[in-house]
Amino acid sequence: MSEPRRGATGTRPVRRALLSVWDKEGLVELARQLDEFGVRLVSTGSTAHVLRDAGLPVTEVAAVTGSPEMLDGRVKTLHPAIHAGILADATNPTHVRELEKQGIEPFELVVVNLYPFEDTVASGAGRDDAVEQIDIGGPTLLRAAAKNFRSVAVVARPHRYADLVAALRETGGTSLELRATLAEEAFAHVAAYDAAIAGWFAEWAGPEELPPSLSLGFARVRELRYGENPHQRAGLYRAVLSPGPLGGARVVQGKEMSFNNWLDAEAARTVAGSLEAPAAVIVKHHNPCGAAVAGSLAEAYRAALASDPVSAFGGVVAFNGEVDGAAARAMAEVFTEVVVAPGFSEEALAAFASRKNLRLVEAPAPAKAPLEVRPIDGGALVQEADAVTEDRGEMKVASRREPDPGEWEDLLFAWRVAARVKSNAIVLAAGGATVGVGAGQMSRVDAVDIASRKAGERAQGSAMASDAFFPFRDAVDLAARAGVRSVIQPGGSMRDDEAVASADEHGMAMVLTGRRHFRH
């Protein structure tokens, strides 16, 4: 093995390495390179077996510890002969003398990856099988080596093997900078692994209260070109114990999705997934600008587009069913960034094929998330995920006039859409489609004004949903002047009676749901 290059910052040679991996990808190639560099290999049972079959010299851990593997492999490396060799600080004379006194050799390299706990859970395996895939020795080895990064290099993922070999070839050892990078990756890897286990136990136990501590684990799927703006770095991450972003979405056509594309696709898919009839939702800047239900996806798309055809330009469209050829052809004349749906027929794929800048994303129907986490400076806000669970039977008609059947349908439709519009939110709907949306306004009456102006003449006879109560009657009066005939809102204002009185004066029907759906 070559000596460390002069001047290499904190470079340490590698004379002895511990290899214990579940994922054998690249293992033999790495071990062969290490052997050529003169590195002595120590390994656990299955890893040692693979290396020995490849004709490589290897010492089993049991020969180092003097103890056989125990408890069906649960205890292998948990021994001072292993961990003292990993944790000894090579720059500390006391540590060095103690190792010599105990007859323990140090390690300069630890290569470990962990039992496939997530894959086991994802396979649908039973609880006992999942428990057996909770690695104990592996995380302990990684943490020990990462803690002692000044003396030991730790590799937790096969994709780092090439970097390790390159460093050994170039300098004859590992630099302090490389060891620190690898240590950070090891700690992050163990943290995500533990987060998956904690999350699995949380789902099993099903606590009714928010957890006293929350462990979140995310693995980077890919880097993105940039974030919300070109000067911001960004990446797409998969949450542990999940199939991936948007339920394991797959881009089946088009160029790479941007940060904003993913955000808007999530918003559109969530609204579409909350509607039962064939539905189309058009989102711009994370707010629905058009949504509709109809007898077919093509009809639903046309109705959603009519809600705000100007804002729909460059938007993201979601459907709640497999996109067929008719729906694809209905979109032919409008520039669209992304279409997200549970599937696409062959006819639809053929119709979209010529639109090279259009991204098609295949994603299953959204599943209910148990918690929402929003980072803030120095912490996070955590809440139960919001969902529209109230139905007509739980609602109260507060006005003298009852909504007729058609009005009820539009009220309930508008209510579901309003729950996904940024507050203050007002949605006007008619015939199963939005006709005007007022989103993200500081004043509720301004939101009504915007939605009414967007709707124009289509506001006549429409239903209006407000995501929260009316603090004054002015918004109801304004809606009446625009032609709104029915209103759905949570109620709960000190001036509810004034809002109801306004509805009665204008011959409107007003329904109180008893629950608001703010979305900040």
Side-chain angles (χ1 to χ4, degrees):
M1 179 175 177
S2 61
E3 289 300 312
R5 188 183 64 193
R6 291 178 180 271
T9 306
T11 297
R12 290 191 56 77
V14 177
R15 298 184 176 90
R16 189 169 183 245
L18 174 64
L19 282 66
S20 179
V21 297
W22 176 273
D23 181 357
K24 305 299 193 291
E25 177 190 350
L27 170 66
V28 171
E29 293 79 3
L30 171 65
R32 188 165 283 125
Q33 293 278 0
L34 294 175
D35 181 59
E36 290 176 4
F37 288 128
V39 179
R40 289 177 293 130
L41 307 179
V42 177
S43 188
T44 52
S46 66
T47 305
H49 182 75
V50 170
L51 298 181
R52 194 172 291 112
D53 282 352
L56 289 161
V58 59
T59 301
E60 290 207 34
V61 163
V64 176
T65 65
S67 299
E69 294 186 8
M70 299 172 62
L71 307 179
D72 297 322
R74 283 189 174 193
V75 177
K76 293 190 284 282
T77 58
L78 299 172
H79 193 281
I82 298 299
H83 283 278
I86 294 172
L87 284 165
D89 180 354
T91 66
N92 185 327
T94 301
H95 285 197
V96 173
R97 285 195 298 271
E98 193 165 355
L99 285 188
E100 291 174 350
K101 180 180 178 181
Q102 298 296 331
I104 295 173
E105 291 188 74
F107 289 99
E108 293 83 25
L109 173 65
V110 170
V111 179
V112 171
N113 57 59
L114 307 178
Y115 293 170
F117 176 78
E118 274 197 80
D119 291 344
T120 302
V121 172
S123 73
R127 289 174 178 172
D128 289 346
D129 290 334
V131 167
E132 287 306 314
Q133 294 304 318
I134 296 176
D135 204 331
I136 302 300
T140 306
L141 291 169
L142 290 176
R143 288 176 60 84
K147 174 179 178 174
N148 198 27
F149 72 96
R150 292 188 180 278
S151 301
V152 180
V154 57
V155 180
R157 293 182 180 276
H159 79 272
R160 278 294 191 179
Y161 293 172
D163 295 328
L164 173 66
V165 170
L168 294 175
R169 182 173 291 113
E170 181 181 354
T171 69
T174 59
S175 68
L176 179 62
E177 292 79 7
L178 176 60
R179 295 196 301 275
T181 297
L182 294 173
E184 185 276 330
E185 289 184 4
F187 278 122
H189 184 52
V190 173
Y193 191 79
D194 286 342
I197 296 168
W200 179 74
F201 273 104
E203 289 182 7
W204 179 4
E208 295 182 0
E209 298 180 357
L210 292 175
S213 62
L214 189 62
S215 299
L216 301 176
F218 295 91
R220 192 178 69 201
V221 177
R222 66 179 62 89
E223 291 186 358
L224 300 176
R225 287 176 295 164
Y226 52 80
E228 284 185 279
N229 300 290
H231 63 276
Q232 294 173 270
R233 289 185 300 172
L236 180 69
Y237 285 74
R238 177 188 66 81
V240 295
L241 293 182
S242 85
L246 303 193
R250 192 168 62 93
V251 180
V252 298
Q253 175 185 300
K255 58 186 180 182
E256 179 187 352
M257 293 272 284
S258 72
F259 185 96
N260 293 330
N261 289 155
W262 282 110
L263 277 178
D264 286 346
E266 187 272 341
R269 171 178 172 264
T270 301
V271 181
S274 72
L275 302 171
E276 295 180 2
V281 177
I282 306 171
V283 161
K284 194 74 172 287
H285 301 298
H286 215 239
N287 273 307
C289 60
V293 293
S296 69
L297 295 181
E299 294 174 76
Y301 173 76
R302 293 188 188 96
L305 177 64
S307 175
D308 190 348
V310 174
S311 296
F313 180 86
V316 169
V317 177
F319 295 96
N320 64 354
E322 183 182 85
V323 179
D324 56 19
R329 288 189 293 273
M331 301 180 64
E333 303 303 320
V334 182
F335 171 64
T336 301
E337 289 272 3
V338 180
V339 179
V340 56
F344 298 88
S345 72
E346 292 298 326
E347 188 180 2
L349 290 172
F352 285 132
S354 62
R355 302 175 65 176
K356 301 301 182 185
N357 291 323
L358 175 65
R359 304 161 179 88
L360 301 182
V361 179
E362 188 175 280
K368 183 181 182 298
L371 296 174
E372 285 184 352
V373 181
R374 297 190 185 185
I376 59 174
D377 186 15
L381 295 168
V382 180
Q383 65 177 354
E384 292 179 329
D386 189 25
V388 180
T389 58
E390 54 275 16
D391 58 30
R392 176 174 167 177
E394 301 172 271
M395 299 176 183
K396 174 187 175 183
V397 177
S399 57
R400 288 195 293 265
R401 186 172 77 79
E402 289 261 356
D404 64 34
E407 287 174 332
W408 265 116
E409 288 184 9
D410 284 334
L411 286 170
L412 296 176
F413 166 78
W415 182 242
R416 285 190 171 274
V417 175
R420 306 305 299 182
V421 176
K422 293 293 183 72
S423 300
N424 287 320
I426 294 292
V427 172
L428 303 187
T434 57
V435 294
V437 177
Q441 299 305 303
M442 288 66 75
S443 162
R444 192 159 298 277
V445 73
D446 284 346
V448 174
D449 179 58
I450 291 171
S452 299
R453 285 190 284 111
K454 287 279 188 182
E457 293 183 359
R458 294 173 299 162
Q460 294 294 324
S462 66
M464 179 173 77
S466 173
D467 65 341
F469 63 61
F470 297 105
F472 305 99
R473 63 172 286 166
D474 52 0
V476 182
D477 291 332
L478 180 59
R481 290 196 295 273
V484 171
R485 289 286 294 158
S486 57
V487 179
I488 187 168
Q489 55 123 336
S493 168
M494 294 176 62
R495 295 184 174 86
D496 271 352
D497 56 343
E498 295 179 18
V500 174
S502 173
D504 286 336
E505 289 171 22
H506 297 295
M508 303 163 75
M510 180 171 284
V511 173
L512 306 183
T513 68
R515 178 180 290 181
R516 78 179 188 194
H517 291 286
F518 263 152
R519 189 161 184 80
H520 276 38

